């Protein structure tokens, strides 16, 4: 289970930095399997995945993009 608001924070961070960390990737994998995820959160994940597919966001092999 993700921390409330984590998906939104990942989306904002990805838009700001153009990257997501490996830990974010695993968080998204977990979130996708969560049946209690809201429709808004599912759409946010879809937007983030589309950005990765289009090359607008890159997946970095770092544990955290911050710091």
């Amino acid at each position: 289970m993700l921390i409330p608001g984590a998906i939104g924070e990942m989306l904002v961070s990805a838009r700001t930095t153009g990257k997501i960390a490996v830990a974010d990737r695993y968080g998204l994998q977990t979130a996708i399997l969560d049946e209690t995820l809201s429709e808004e959160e599912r759409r946010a994940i879809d937007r983030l995945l589309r950005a990765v597919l289009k090359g607008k966001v890159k997946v970095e092999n770092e544990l955290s993009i911050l710091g």
Side-chain angles (χ1 to χ4, degrees):
M1 179 175 232
L2 285 174
I3 297 169
I7 294 172
E9 288 180 26
M10 280 186 230
L11 192 61
V12 169
S13 175
R15 285 182 179 165
T16 303
T17 65
K19 303 174 188 175
I20 62 170
V22 99
D24 295 334
R25 182 179 68 189
Y26 289 122
L28 290 171
Q29 288 174 338
T30 301
I32 289 169
L33 298 174
D34 185 351
E35 293 180 10
T36 64
L37 208 59
S38 72
E39 187 61 33
E40 182 180 337
E41 290 170 316
R42 288 194 184 282
R43 284 194 300 263
I45 291 172
D46 288 345
R47 285 193 303 273
L48 184 52
L49 293 175
R50 276 194 299 274
V52 170
L53 287 173
K54 290 181 179 182
K56 294 179 179 180
V57 173
K58 296 189 182 344
V59 178
E60 295 289 320
N61 283 329
E62 300 173 14
L63 288 179
S64 175
I65 296 301
L66 302 174

